[in-house]
Amino acid sequence: MSAPTTAIEPRRTENELGLGLLRQPTTVLFGPGQRRQIPQLAAGIAERVLLVTDARMAESPEFAALVDGLAERGVTTMVYAGTEPDLPRRNVVDITDRFSASAVDAIIGIGGGSCMDLAKVASVVLANGGDVRDYYGEFVVPGPGCPVITVPTTGGTGAEVTCISVIYDEDKGMKVGVASPHLEAYAAVIDPELTLTCPPGLTAAAGADALSHLIESFTGRAKNPSADDLATKLYAGKNLLADTYARTGLALLNTSLPAVAVRPGDLQARSDTLFGAYCAGMAINTAGTAGAHAIQSPIGNLTHTPHGFGISALLPYVMRYNLPTRVVEFAQIGRLLGVAAPTDPELTQAHRAIERIEEILAALGAPLDLRTLGLQPGDFRFVADQAMLATRLTANNPRDLTADSIVGILERGYDGDRSWWQ
């Protein structure tokens, strides 16, 4: 077995600028029943609205009530219910072929992350023309689209408040991002009642994803960006304002995720989970995700496993790899989660934090090793090479990554080695 922690000397980065940065929708409505405000919100900005969702949501009584509510406000509705998991490029092509910018005043994306990501990216492609491939990357979108209202029905992706859409390009065989402030939603309506019927597996995968967002934003690389960096790169790195949301979200998910796993109909637990996921979205919108997300993408393509489960299976090992550069932050997390005392040695506090995160994932029923996903050792080098192409994500990792170090992480993850390796 290769040793992932010996390839590179750990190097700590600090937010020496004292930077804080947020990007966010103009309006955020949170709370049980707040979906009933959507027709009034939409009527203030549009006469013709495109509803973007999936087949399951389109058949629900909540969706029917939304369509009726918009009609009562005099808003004409069109529906696209063909969104697929992991948002394949063909969905974007389909929606832009079917509808024109002149016929759509606003878009409402209601559903999981793929539905909201499709609503955001369809808005800018319809408005600016061309193919979605023209906009892969950061700050490539030339101008705004029509207003988008995002409505999450799962507690995890944070897509309701992020200004990125992740698309699976079938021809390239990989996920790519369209990342631009022009993708920021006009409004996010976050109603925990919409998550009460979320299936257990999806609840677990989405919850694991939200938890990873909080961990990766809070322990990510501090970059001290220049004005030019802020004008050309979406992720400014670990910063003061993102940290505020990360701490709030971690405290919420610490108790809400285990609770919702046992009591899926518990509205308070669902509310806290969805609020924690919102906080996670706010944090990653400027701090970004990091190594676990870079490595998961090729694993997901190979194993056809849910994104959140791939993240869960990687997180224990990526946290251990990053620990030498982020003992301080993991110790803070340990105290925040109530498993470490300030009088404990700092490294002990950090270890307890990581163990608590693993306990939460286990309570959800999310996997904690890569063997469970069906990943084969013969694919480790391919996964590592593909992960290194995701420079937008690897640049956020607090400890430098190489293909060799990623192979080492994969070996540990395949064996389920959760010892404290150095």
Side-chain angles (χ1 to χ4, degrees):
M1 176 183 292
S2 61
T5 53
T6 59
I8 308 160
E9 184 67 24
R11 180 172 59 87
R12 180 177 173 82
T13 57
E14 299 275 0
N15 182 3
E16 297 171 357
L17 293 177
L19 175 72
L21 178 65
L22 291 181
R23 297 187 185 92
Q24 56 193 330
T26 301
T27 299
V28 176
L29 278 172
F30 181 93
Q34 290 305 314
R35 67 186 182 280
R36 299 181 182 92
Q37 302 294 330
I38 297 172
Q40 181 175 348
L41 191 61
I45 58 172
E47 295 179 353
R48 299 159 299 182
V49 167
L50 173 61
L51 295 166
V52 174
T53 191
D54 57 26
R56 175 178 169 271
M57 187 65 199
E59 296 298 320
S60 69
E62 292 83 3
F63 188 81
L66 173 58
V67 173
D68 290 344
L70 289 164
E72 290 171 4
R73 289 277 177 176
V75 178
T76 300
T77 57
M78 299 160 281
V79 177
Y80 180 85
T83 312
E84 301 172 68
D86 293 322
L87 187 52
R89 173 180 167 269
R90 61 176 172 266
N91 286 173
V92 186
V93 173
D94 190 21
I95 204 170
T96 53
D97 283 346
R98 291 194 199 183
F99 303 95
S100 66
S102 61
V104 177
D105 299 325
I107 300 177
I108 299 174
I110 178 168
S114 290
C115 295
M116 293 183 286
D117 277 358
L118 179 55
K120 293 184 294 186
V121 77
S123 168
V124 296
V125 177
L126 283 171
N128 293 288
D131 188 283
V132 66
R133 285 176 172 158
D134 299 332
Y135 305 127
Y136 290 171
E138 296 181 80
F139 281 78
V140 180
V141 178
C146 65
V148 174
I149 299 173
T150 49
V151 188
T153 61
T154 64
T157 70
E160 65 270 20
V161 293
T162 59
C163 47
I164 182 171
S165 289
V166 179
I167 297 147
Y168 178 67
D169 190 307
E170 303 97 313
D171 295 336
K172 295 179 180 292
M174 62 186 297
K175 289 182 178 180
V176 288
V178 177
S180 167
H182 290 309
L183 267 69
E184 193 68 71
Y186 165 75
V189 180
I190 308 170
D191 185 342
E193 290 180 354
L194 290 174
T195 68
L196 288 171
T197 57
C198 188
L202 184 53
T203 295
D209 196 23
L211 190 60
S212 76
H213 292 165
L214 295 163
I215 296 299
E216 292 204 306
S217 65
F218 192 71
T219 64
R221 184 181 295 268
K223 296 181 178 179
N224 299 298
S226 67
D228 286 343
D229 290 332
L230 292 176
T232 57
K233 295 181 176 62
L234 196 68
Y235 294 149
K238 178 178 170 64
N239 67 84
L240 297 175
L241 293 175
D243 282 356
T244 298
Y245 279 95
R247 283 190 289 265
T248 300
L250 283 165
L252 287 165
L253 296 190
N254 182 42
T255 55
S256 71
L257 285 179
V260 82
V262 176
R263 303 184 303 277
D266 184 333
L267 182 59
Q268 186 58 58
R270 289 286 188 181
S271 296
D272 288 347
T273 295
L274 196 54
F275 192 65
Y278 156 72
C279 289
M282 289 296 296
I284 63 171
N285 208 21
T286 55
T289 54
H293 278 72
I295 302 169
Q296 185 280 327
S297 182
I299 291 176
N301 293 342
L302 285 170
T303 62
H304 306 290
T305 48
H307 169 76
F309 284 168
I311 290 293
S312 176
L314 280 163
L315 199 55
Y317 314 100
V318 174
M319 288 190 295
R320 280 166 173 74
Y321 177 80
N322 289 333
L323 179 59
T325 64
R326 283 293 180 259
V327 172
V328 172
E329 285 76 13
F330 277 115
Q332 290 176 19
I333 292 171
R335 298 192 297 273
L336 186 66
L337 301 184
V339 294
T343 52
D344 294 331
E346 197 168 50
L347 185 59
T348 299
Q349 296 180 48
H351 286 182
R352 289 176 179 167
I354 292 172
E355 290 167 346
R356 175 55 184 164
I357 293 160
E358 292 164 352
E359 288 174 1
I360 297 170
L361 294 171
L364 283 170
L368 290 170
D369 67 84
L370 294 171
R371 193 186 300 254
T372 302
L373 301 181
L375 183 68
Q376 298 300 314
D379 291 322
F380 289 174
R381 179 59 59 175
F382 171 79
V383 169
D385 290 341
Q386 290 295 299
M388 288 302 297
L389 298 177
T391 54
R392 176 175 52 86
L393 304 179
T394 57
N396 294 328
N397 205 67
R399 187 175 178 187
D400 290 340
L401 287 166
T402 66
D404 286 343
S405 66
I406 292 173
V407 168
I409 291 169
L410 294 171
E411 290 174 343
R412 299 281 190 173
Y414 186 80
D415 290 337
D417 179 2
R418 288 189 274 151
S419 61
W420 299 110
W421 22 286
Q422 296 296 322

